Amino acid sequence: MSDSTFRLTLAQLNPTVGAIADNAAQARAAWAGGKAAGAGMVALPEMFVTGYQTQDLVRKPAFAQDAMAAIEALAGACADGPALGIGGPWLDPEGRLYNAYWILQGGKVQARILKHHLPNYGVFDEMRIFTPGPICGPYRVGPLRIGSPICEDAWYPDVCETLAETGAEILLVPNGSPYYRGKFDRRLNLMVARVVETGLPVVYLNLWGGQDDQIFDGGSFVLNPGGGLAVQLPVFGDAVAHVDFERTEAGWRARQGLRETLPDEWEQDYHAMVLGLADYMGKCGFSKALLGLSGGVDSALVAAIAADALGPQNVRCVMLPSEFTSAHSLEDAEAVARALGCRLDTIPISGPRAAVEAALAPLFAGTGSGVAEENIQSRLRGLLLMALSNKFGEMLLTTGNKSEVAVGYATIYGDMAGGYNPIKDLYKMRVFETCRWRNAHHRDWMKGPAGPVIPARVIDKPPSAELRANQKDEDSLPPYPVLDAILERLMEGDMSVAEIVAEGFDRDTVKRVEQLMYVSEYKRFQAAPGARVTRKAFWLDRRYPIVNRWRDPS
């Protein structure tokens, strides 16, 4: 490092919420790598020391103080080398809690940058948790004055413009930005705008990994004035990159470095679901999973995701047939398990079902057979699967897609039983296409086998719950292309019934879907978490009351 050059090490890493010592150890290892490479500074993402998002956990004073103590210890341990930038909470002497970016140099805390714009939408509740900080000025590391707008601070012009006006020569933006389909383009467009407005290079540093339903995708990058992409790090993986800046007549500029090609949205969605499951289980202390494999497309896709996330040897598939289970379903379940290399067990439910129906017969006498009897089958399957989960310590995966979750086409305490749902945010039509994508593609990060793993018949046959003879999903629901189109407009688009009808949809069908969606809220409140891949997933993105008598009159 000289007066005209500066090496900045970017550490795109995967923290775990609450694992403060482990996260600090990752930071120190990255710092050591930067020191060995001659860096002037090593940077980690937003709230890295605690993991992100912490939700209300960080409001517990003992937790915030533990995180702050870990950062102070890092300052001492990393005294004889490059500066270290790391995200973490700051609880000031008056008890105000801030989302901060700590700059450690020379054995002490040189600066704390406080987040000014606190996001309060979608999955974010930072106005509930943190105090908005003042707009902070730049800090100096070696020959360079660096401004660090924290995540949301770079989504608006004011913080970056103030930093430029007060002497910042580059902008280093630490982020905890979760994935949704198309998110990278939104980030890139916003950062290009900041480059144009300030005339400064922008370093966008994001963390990666799964946290509950949220998946952080990394994809960090560096932009030079003029909109030139100097560095592009990969998505969904560790990356430690040494970015070299040099002083030019026009100001500091990043030299060209690693430029990864980003995958398309189908691959990114699939990778997000695989990573979400792997991290949810790994960070919760599970290594093995099981699921009910019905011979249908949803459970086949979940089995593939589980095999790719955990390895086929760690996935148990269980077929639980009744007299309504077709021979094709039995054959298809076996074919999926065999293609993936997963264990397949079979437990017929005819005996338990007969026992339950016999026990209920005096109370059910004089009534016709219907949904209650059908759901006994689903709940027996849930009971048996949970028994296996308890006995062998395997997390039960539930397999309902977003279309079914939206309209309640699932049995609470039955096929909804489980600890995690990898396809919870994937509409049915995308389930079909994702199966086709997985059959045609294999990547190094997939632990399952290459080649077609979901037989074409599983994808192409009419979906059925097989709870009664000759049952088809379309007996109870609109065709999935129609259902998904209406749901996308009702939920993602927040469109009125009248607006949807104006696009050519049958009003009675739209009203029926609306009714099913609203009356199913109680089920979703009790549903397992699952990977978020859209801007409006069930849980934090969409918070509706369970008791709700309003219906759109339009």
Side-chain angles (χ1 to χ4, degrees):
M1 184 172 67
S2 67
D3 288 343
S4 59
T5 61
F6 186 85
R7 173 165 284 185
L8 174 63
T9 296
L10 303 181
Q12 175 182 292
L13 301 175
N14 181 356
T16 298
V17 166
I20 292 172
D22 291 344
N23 298 338
Q26 283 197 71
R28 185 169 181 182
W31 174 85
K35 179 181 179 181
M41 180 177 178
V42 176
L44 291 114
E46 177 183 15
M47 292 295 288
F48 186 83
V49 77
T50 59
Y52 193 66
Q53 292 191 68
T54 58
Q55 298 182 295
D56 282 0
L57 178 60
V58 76
R59 298 173 68 185
K60 192 175 185 67
F63 180 82
Q65 289 159 0
D66 194 13
M68 292 163 61
I71 295 174
E72 297 275 1
L74 275 174
C78 301
D80 60 338
L84 178 65
I86 185 168
W90 182 47
L91 187 63
D92 77 5
E94 286 73 41
R96 292 181 295 252
L97 182 65
Y98 297 92
N99 180 333
Y101 198 62
W102 298 60
I103 309 304
L104 315 178
Q105 193 169 19
K108 62 182 182 180
V109 178
Q110 178 191 339
R112 292 186 199 90
I113 311 304
L114 307 180
K115 193 171 184 179
H116 178 65
H117 290 294
L118 300 179
N120 206 52
Y121 56 84
V123 298
F124 298 104
D125 288 304
E126 292 206 353
M127 288 293 291
R128 167 188 170 87
I129 298 169
F130 297 112
T131 300
I135 297 179
C136 300
Y139 51 91
R140 179 173 289 280
V141 179
L144 194 56
R145 287 177 61 81
I146 302 172
S148 284
I150 301 173
C151 199
E152 193 83 1
D153 288 343
W155 286 52
Y156 301 96
D158 57 342
V159 176
C160 294
E161 289 178 351
T162 300
L163 285 166
E165 290 165 359
T166 53
E169 294 170 298
I170 72 167
L171 298 175
L172 166 60
V173 187
N175 291 270
S177 179
Y179 172 80
Y180 59 70
R181 195 177 304 131
K183 183 71 169 288
F184 179 82
D185 288 343
R186 180 160 172 74
R187 295 180 190 136
L188 185 61
N189 290 338
L190 285 163
M191 294 309 104
V192 167
R194 301 295 88 85
V195 171
V196 170
E197 291 157 1
T198 64
L200 301 178
V202 166
V203 178
Y204 185 97
L205 175 59
N206 195 22
L207 54 81
W208 76 278
Q211 171 58 31
D212 296 345
D213 66 324
Q214 294 168 50
I215 318 299
F216 297 86
D217 54 320
S220 307
F221 57 88
V222 180
L223 294 171
N224 276 323
L229 183 67
V231 174
Q232 175 63 67
L233 300 190
V235 290
F236 304 114
D238 275 351
V240 177
H242 309 296
V243 181
D244 290 321
F245 287 86
E246 58 186 357
R247 192 193 301 271
T248 71
E249 291 183 1
W252 288 87
R253 298 293 183 265
R255 294 174 183 164
Q256 291 294 308
L258 175 68
R259 293 181 60 177
E260 288 278 343
T261 300
L262 300 185
D264 64 22
E265 68 174 33
W266 294 96
E267 180 170 340
Q268 290 195 48
D269 271 9
Y270 190 79
H271 202 162
M273 291 184 289
V274 169
L275 171 61
L277 175 59
D279 266 11
Y280 186 79
M281 291 192 56
K283 292 177 179 181
C284 288
F286 286 83
S287 60
K288 295 180 180 293
L290 80 153
L291 66 141
L293 191 64
S294 68
V297 69
D298 297 321
S299 61
L301 180 56
V302 170
I305 291 169
D308 285 336
L310 309 171
Q313 72 279 9
N314 293 315
V315 180
R316 181 202 300 259
C317 299
V318 185
M319 183 62 170
L320 299 117
S322 73
E323 67 267 35
F324 302 121
T325 303
S326 69
H328 280 179
S329 292
L330 291 168
E331 294 165 4
D332 292 342
E334 183 180 358
V336 169
R338 184 172 59 251
L340 288 169
C342 298
R343 172 176 176 169
L344 176 65
D345 295 319
T346 301
I347 307 175
I349 65 168
S350 53
R353 182 184 172 211
V356 170
E357 290 185 345
L360 290 170
L363 298 177
F364 281 15
T367 66
S369 181
V371 173
E373 286 79 7
E374 292 176 13
N375 286 343
I376 287 171
Q377 300 169 66
S378 181
R379 292 190 173 111
L380 281 170
R381 290 176 173 126
L383 183 152
L384 293 166
L385 290 167
M386 280 305 305
L388 291 170
S389 175
N390 291 160
K391 189 70 174 178
F392 298 108
E394 300 164 350
M395 182 179 286
L396 175 58
L397 306 181
T398 182
T399 62
N401 61 71
K402 189 174 187 177
S403 310
E404 295 171 351
V405 171
V407 296
Y409 194 64
T411 304
I412 196 165
Y413 321 124
D415 56 335
M416 289 179 65
Y420 193 81
N421 181 355
I423 63 170
K424 184 178 181 179
D425 201 25
L426 207 63
Y427 284 115
K428 185 75 168 190
M429 296 308 296
R430 292 192 77 95
V431 169
F432 294 130
E433 287 304 314
T434 301
C435 289
R436 295 185 180 102
W437 182 89
R438 175 58 179 87
N439 279 346
H441 299 85
H442 193 266
R443 300 290 184 261
D444 291 343
W445 46 264
M446 297 176 183
K447 296 181 179 181
V453 293
I454 302 173
R457 188 170 72 179
V458 173
I459 303 170
D460 296 336
K461 67 184 178 183
S464 171
E466 292 193 326
L467 297 177
R468 62 177 182 267
N470 302 313
Q471 183 182 23
K472 300 289 185 292
D473 287 6
E474 289 187 12
D475 298 341
S476 305
L477 300 173
Y480 280 112
V482 175
L483 177 62
D484 288 359
I486 293 172
L487 288 170
E488 287 173 352
R489 287 159 175 78
L490 280 172
M491 292 196 302
E492 276 84 352
D494 274 327
M495 293 172 64
S496 69
V497 169
E499 288 171 325
I500 299 172
V501 172
E503 291 195 5
F505 293 90
D506 174 69
R507 187 178 189 280
D508 289 344
T509 303
V510 176
K511 290 295 291 180
R512 181 175 164 225
V513 172
E514 177 200 39
Q515 173 70 3
L516 290 170
M517 184 176 70
Y518 284 143
V519 300
S520 301
E521 206 65 51
Y522 78 100
K523 292 185 177 182
R524 290 189 286 273
F525 266 70
Q526 300 179 62
R532 174 184 184 255
V533 297
T534 70
R535 294 185 67 172
K536 191 164 281 190
F538 291 118
W539 192 29
L540 295 178
D541 284 312
R542 181 185 178 278
R543 310 180 199 190
Y544 273 62
I546 298 174
V547 177
N548 169 23
R549 295 284 293 274
W550 182 84
R551 299 294 182 267
D552 188 345
S554 65

